[in-house]
Every structure is written in structure tokens, then in C-alpha cells.
Amino acid sequence: MKRASLMWKAMALASSPKESNPTMAAFPRSLSSMAASIGGLAVFLVIASLLLVSYPIGSTVSGYFYGIDSSGEVDLPIFEGNQSSIDRGHDSDVDVVDKDSSSGSDLKVLISLGGVNNNSVNVSDSQPGSDLQESTTGARKEEEASFKDGSVALSFKENDVDKGSEESSSDAASADSKSGAKSDVSAVPSNASKTSSDDPGCDLYHGSWFYDSLGPLYTNNTCPVLTQMQNCQGNGRPDKEYENWRWKPSQCNLPRFDAKKFLELMRGKTIAFIGDSVARNQMESMLCLLWQAKAPRNQGNKKMQRYFFRSTSTMVVRIWSSWLVHQTSEPIDFAPEGVVKLHLDAPDEHFMEFIPSFDVIVLSSGHWFAKQSVYVLNNEIVGGQLWWPDKSRPMKINNIEAFGISVETILTSIASHPNYTGLTILRSYSPDHYEGGAWNTGGSCTGKEKPLAPGELVENSFTDIMHKKQIAGFDRAIKKATDKSKLQLMDITEAFGYRHDGHPGPYRSLDPNKLTKRGPDGKPPPQDCLHWCMPGPVDTWNELVLEIIRREFASSQSSSV
């Protein structure tokens, strides 16, 4: 009892505010505060852990800065300045003469080959997913002495994009913010989600260029296979509006390129781009477009470039062939060793051995016929370009006629190959825009920022005659072909005659000291007015390729039913 009484008094003293020891009273309060703090911290850690599991911070930060979800498969990051670009070296120049063209006017409406097109514009909004990955692609030296490259981009209206997907919507907004341009074209109708043209028999090659503010499907920083000479933005070109003009056929729609649709159509198949440096330009454009959906594996070798898309087992191939016909440097008759001899009646055997493994072939040639060469038919010298030592001998064939014969030869050889059953697309002659002269005589495309308007296009006699001879060669091959549907002409020459704004011009390299303006004597700087900026107009070629393939496969399926 005594001990209990003492304990009771001690408790009473401890609870008394007047007599309690301040030190003793503070202890339980600090202990409770510490307990509360620890409990709050524990709750915070639990909540933060849940948030981090649901929304990885790495993905968020990467997506903010690069527009890429790093939670996807990314083998190689893309750095500002396109450090992953491959500079394959300088292509040698081609002596192509071009006439003057007047500069473009301020275009704020549809530019049409037949005037302003007031019809409604329906295009596809299909935006590739952003699960971008990259694989390293080593620079490979080529035997090509070609030109200087550039290429094209597609553009689109922000309010034309199907908002059914947050991913496509955010991608569209990102592309629009990069373009930095405002569209003056009326809004595209709500049926813009179509991924194929309205009319399967519609003429794709006569229509209008229209301005679209959405911008290209890729940028110079999101394509690791972009040749530096075509990287116009990376090389310092100050304007960007050339990226925003899209092609609209007069009677139907040309859908925006859909990488996933292309890969699905080409599942288990191979597409090969064969020809000169312009073929390389188009192939790299195709890879840039496809790369935004899936990253391929580089499986190339010394004979060809090969990129394999594992998800659909699709292969994209590129083979160099300057003239598409057999060539040799061996002496023939009065043509000595060292001068290139072109056998106009025989195909280039270096790629013919591979064509049984191809399902689609896209051919590009023409510009090398301006280079020095000797023309041979039936083992007889019949002409030459920049070479004809014996003026007493009559020259039967010039370079323009030789080009037409070569087109017929290669198309006939492919179409009659016993082990090739694929689709062959002949892309027509790509126009250059060396205004005021040739590439080496003061021709220039510097300062061109918009397509030419109707009535401004100045005739280019060399381009016109080369195009005419190419079409004639195609027609002769068609007459010989047993399955005429397997040969298709992609006739881009007229439409692209208006795109003097789409070339690299003087922006061909990263050299900070490069000349970009005319000198005091009015002489233009060195420039490339043959190849196409990337992104840029050349991407339209692959929209056309996709539409041609879609039509061909649809026709094949319907005929087999």
C-alpha cells in the first residue's frame, strides 16, 4: 500500500502543470512529434513508390526532351545535330544543263498544275507510333560518284488528325510545333483518316501542291540513316516551309504515309531501290519514314544495303547501279581501256542476280547519262557522251537516245526474268533546278522557299526530252511484257518541276564557313539543286510507292478470288 501511494504521488506530480519539470515534460512531446514525422515519411514513401511504378520518371523525362518513350526499345539515343547521320562522302557532279525558272510567288493557297484547286482536300491522318528504336548503321564507302543529296517531307493539318489516339495526337502537336509555320489552307475534312485513295484507278500524277502546317512525319534528328548532304536543317538552312507542302491528286486523295500499313502490306517481302544517288535519296526517305514506327536491323554487305524489320520480316534493300545496264572499262574497237563502255542492250548483271529474291523493285536512272561514257549495241560502238575522238565517224546515238534504250532494256530484262514475279516501279526522271545555268556554269536554286506557282514554271528542255525518251522506253517494254500489270510508271517529273524549293542548295555540309549567298560579283555559291532535302518533297515519292503497292496487292487479291 505504501509503495502504491508513492507511485500515485509521483504520477500526480508528473501531470501537474505547475510543479512539473520542464525537461521531463518536453520529452514525451518530442517523442510524439518524431513518431508523427516517421509515420508521415512512411506514407510519402509508399505513395511515391506507387507513382514511380505507374509512371517511370525515365520515360517521362525522355519523352519530354526527345518525344520518345524510353520504356520502349531504344538501342541508340538521338542527339541534337543528327550526330548519327551518315555522311557517305561527296557525290561527283553531273553535267546537266537547265534553263532559268522564275522564283516562286507568295503562295497561300493550293498550287495546282492546272491552276488553283478549289476542291476539298482529303488526306490520311495515319500517324506512325512513337515506339522508336534505333540501331547503329556504320558508314559504308560506295563506288558512287554521285551528287549532293537532299529530300522531302510531308505536312498535315493539326485539326485533321484523328484524335482517337492520344499518341497520334501528341505526335501531331509535336510535329506542328517543330514546323513553326501557319497554314493558310482551309481545314481538311473529317474523312482525313482514310489510308487509301478514293478511286483505285485515279491518276495520281496530276494535281496540286498544298501547304499543310502539321509538318513532316520525321525530322532530321529522328532519322539515323540520313545522309549529311541531305540534312538541310542540320546543315543550317534557315527556312522550313519547304517541308510543309503536300501533293494532292486532282481526282482523289494521296494518303499520308502510314509506316505500319506499309510494313503490313510488305510482310515477308522485300523492296529494292536500284539505281543512282537519287535512288539512295528515295531509299533513305523510306527508311526515315519507317523508322518512326519500327527500327530495322542493318544487315547490309559490300554488294547492297539491307535493313530488316523483324516485326513483319520486311526487308528494304538498296543497290547502286549508275546506268542500270552492263558497263565495262575494257577496250572495245577504237575505245581505249579506262573509258566506261555501256552495253545498252544488256542489263547490269551486278543486281540482276538478286532480283528473284525481291517482291518490289523501284528503279532510278538518267542523270549519269550526262557523264562521259561510250555506247555499245551488238558489240559495236554507236555513240558516246563527252567522248568521240574520231569526228569523221558518224555518231548514231547520243546520250538522250541511249537513256531511252537503257530503260527499255532493263525493264524488258526484269519483266522477262523467269524467276522474278514481283512488281517493278519505274520512277520517272527527277528534275533538277539549276536556274541560270548548269551545276558548273552558275546554275542556282539558292533562296527558293516555296513551290513555283502555275504560270511560273520555265521549260527545261533537257528534263523534258529525257522524260520523253524514258516514257518511250517504258512503253516499248510494256508492249513486250506478258504481265503488263507488273510494270508500273511512277510519273513524278511534271509535279516535281514546281519544287525548286526542295533542294539542299548551298546547305550541303556542316562546314560553318560554307558560302550560302552570292558573292559581290553575283556568282552563286556551290550548291546541290538535284537531290532533295530530308525531310522534304522526296517523301511524297514513297507515299506514291505505298499507294501503287496497295493497288497492286488489292488487284492481285481480287483476281485470285
Side-chain angles (χ1 to χ4, degrees):
M1 289 294 291
K2 186 176 181 180
R3 180 180 296 179
S5 176
L6 290 173
M7 290 180 63
W8 176 256
K9 290 180 179 180
M11 292 176 64
L13 287 171
S15 61
S16 174
K18 293 182 180 179
E19 300 178 11
S20 61
N21 188 324
T23 304
M24 293 294 293
F27 179 76
R29 284 200 297 269
S30 61
L31 183 62
S32 62
S33 299
M34 289 174 61
S37 300
I38 292 172
L41 179 61
V43 172
F44 171 77
L45 289 175
V46 170
I47 296 174
S49 299
L50 292 174
L51 287 174
L52 286 173
V53 170
S54 302
Y55 305 98
I57 189 169
S59 174
T60 304
V61 172
S62 176
Y64 179 81
F65 285 105
Y66 300 112
I68 303 170
D69 185 355
S70 62
S71 63
E73 296 178 305
V74 180
D75 298 326
L76 179 67
I78 301 172
F79 298 99
E80 185 175 1
N82 196 28
Q83 294 181 16
S84 56
S85 294
I86 300 174
D87 189 348
R88 305 187 191 282
H90 230 261
D91 298 332
S92 64
D93 297 303
V94 167
D95 186 10
V96 179
V97 178
D98 197 353
K99 291 188 176 181
D100 291 355
S101 294
S102 57
S103 61
S105 62
D106 293 335
L107 303 179
K108 297 188 178 180
V109 291
L110 290 165
I111 295 183
S112 171
L113 300 188
V116 176
N117 185 347
N118 293 319
N119 296 331
S120 61
V121 180
N122 303 323
V123 290
S124 168
D125 67 37
S126 182
Q127 183 81 2
S130 59
D131 53 337
L132 174 67
Q133 23 168 221
E134 299 184 19
S135 62
T136 56
T137 54
R140 182 175 67 86
K141 292 184 180 179
E142 301 174 341
E143 278 186 32
E144 45 186 292
S146 42
F147 323 92
K148 305 123 219 162
D149 279 79
S151 48
V152 173
L154 306 177
S155 48
F156 206 60
K157 268 283 199 181
E158 184 178 7
N159 61 347
D160 303 330
V161 179
D162 184 359
K163 297 302 190 295
S165 167
E166 287 185 8
E167 178 177 290
S168 63
S169 177
S170 62
D171 290 346
S174 175
D176 193 38
S177 64
K178 293 173 185 174
S179 69
K182 297 180 179 179
S183 174
D184 293 303
V185 184
S186 57
V188 181
S190 59
N191 60 351
S193 60
K194 294 180 181 178
T195 57
S196 61
S197 61
D198 298 327
D199 181 2
C202 162
D203 174 12
L204 297 172
Y205 310 112
H206 292 86
S208 313
W209 289 103
F210 72 96
Y211 187 84
D212 197 328
S213 64
L214 184 60
L217 291 173
Y218 64 94
T219 72
N220 62 305
N221 288 324
T222 63
C223 181
V225 293
L226 178 57
T227 296
Q228 192 61 49
M229 288 178 291
Q230 299 162 351
N231 185 0
C232 300
Q233 289 298 305
N235 292 336
R237 180 167 172 172
D239 62 300
K240 287 177 64 74
E241 288 194 3
Y242 65 89
E243 296 181 347
N244 291 60
W245 292 91
R246 291 196 61 222
W247 179 248
K248 167 68 173 68
S250 298
Q251 303 301 321
C252 60
N253 300 313
L254 179 62
R256 190 170 175 81
F257 189 87
D258 186 335
K260 292 180 179 178
K261 182 180 181 68
F262 178 88
L263 290 172
E264 192 58 43
L265 280 173
M266 292 295 294
R267 177 177 290 275
K269 296 179 171 60
T270 297
I271 181 171
F273 295 87
I274 303 175
D276 53 21
S277 60
V278 185
R280 180 186 67 199
N281 205 162
Q282 184 174 1
M283 182 275 289
E284 290 181 354
S285 164
M286 175 65 78
L287 286 176
C288 288
L289 291 164
L290 295 177
W291 215 293
Q292 310 313 302
K294 295 291 180 181
R297 289 184 175 181
N298 183 358
Q299 298 181 350
N301 52 44
K302 291 182 178 180
K303 293 185 177 181
M304 69 179 77
Q305 291 177 282
R306 297 189 305 176
Y307 292 87
F308 181 67
F309 293 84
R310 186 173 57 181
S311 62
T312 56
S313 296
T314 302
M315 186 79 79
V316 177
V317 171
R318 184 239 169 180
I319 302 178
W320 172 262
S321 179
S322 308
W323 289 278
L324 300 180
V325 293
H326 174 66
Q327 66 181 78
T328 179
S329 60
E330 299 298 320
I332 299 177
D333 196 4
F334 62 96
E337 184 177 2
V339 182
V340 175
K341 291 89 181 173
L342 301 180
H343 291 258
L344 299 176
D345 49 2
D348 184 348
E349 70 280 6
H350 291 104
F351 71 80
M352 286 297 293
E353 62 175 305
F354 300 113
I355 69 169
S357 63
F358 301 154
D359 299 281
V360 179
I361 294 175
V362 182
L363 297 173
S364 169
S365 67
H367 292 283
W368 275 70
F369 281 88
K371 301 182 77 68
Q372 185 185 61
S373 51
V374 178
Y375 305 135
V376 180
L377 277 175
N378 299 318
N379 293 318
E380 176 190 355
I381 296 176
V382 293
Q385 167 67 6
L386 301 179
W387 182 91
W388 197 252
D390 190 349
K391 304 301 181 183
S392 65
R393 294 174 180 262
M395 189 164 62
K396 301 177 182 179
I397 293 176
N398 62 18
N399 64 327
I400 296 171
E401 293 291 340
F403 175 48
I405 295 171
S406 73
V407 170
E408 178 185 359
T409 294
I410 190 57
L411 290 176
T412 301
S413 299
I414 292 175
S416 61
H417 195 290
N419 298 320
Y420 176 71
T421 58
L423 168 67
T424 302
I425 301 172
L426 176 66
R427 198 212 66 241
S428 67
Y429 190 79
S430 178
D432 62 79
H433 291 91
Y434 289 101
E435 302 173 6
W439 65 269
N440 59 348
T441 59
S444 173
C445 56
T446 300
K448 310 302 182 184
E449 298 181 1
K450 294 182 176 68
L452 289 164
E456 291 185 335
L457 187 63
V458 176
E459 179 184 2
N460 183 331
S461 59
F462 186 80
T463 294
D464 291 346
I465 191 62
M466 291 291 279
H467 179 240
K468 180 179 178 181
K469 292 298 180 182
Q470 185 182 37
I471 300 302
F474 176 85
D475 290 341
R476 290 193 298 269
I478 281 287
K479 291 178 181 179
K480 297 178 182 179
T482 54
D483 189 353
K484 296 178 175 57
S485 67
K486 294 297 183 180
L487 295 179
Q488 295 288 336
L489 175 67
M490 194 174 89
D491 195 356
I492 57 89
T493 306
E494 182 180 4
F496 275 74
Y498 289 83
R499 294 310 307 271
H500 65 168
D501 58 321
H503 303 290
Y507 299 98
R508 304 172 302 159
S509 72
L510 290 168
D511 181 7
N513 299 317
K514 60 179 173 286
L515 300 176
T516 60
K517 297 181 179 180
R518 292 180 180 270
D521 58 353
K523 183 179 179 181
Q527 55 196 285
D528 176 11
C529 302
L530 172 61
H531 299 89
W532 304 93
C533 292
M534 292 178 60
V538 71
D539 298 323
T540 301
W541 294 358
N542 291 316
E543 287 185 325
L544 292 166
V545 166
L546 172 55
E547 180 61 16
I548 292 171
I549 292 173
R550 188 198 64 80
R551 291 182 180 188
E552 173 63 26
F553 289 0
S555 175
S556 299
Q557 291 174 359
S558 61
S559 61
S560 62
V561 175

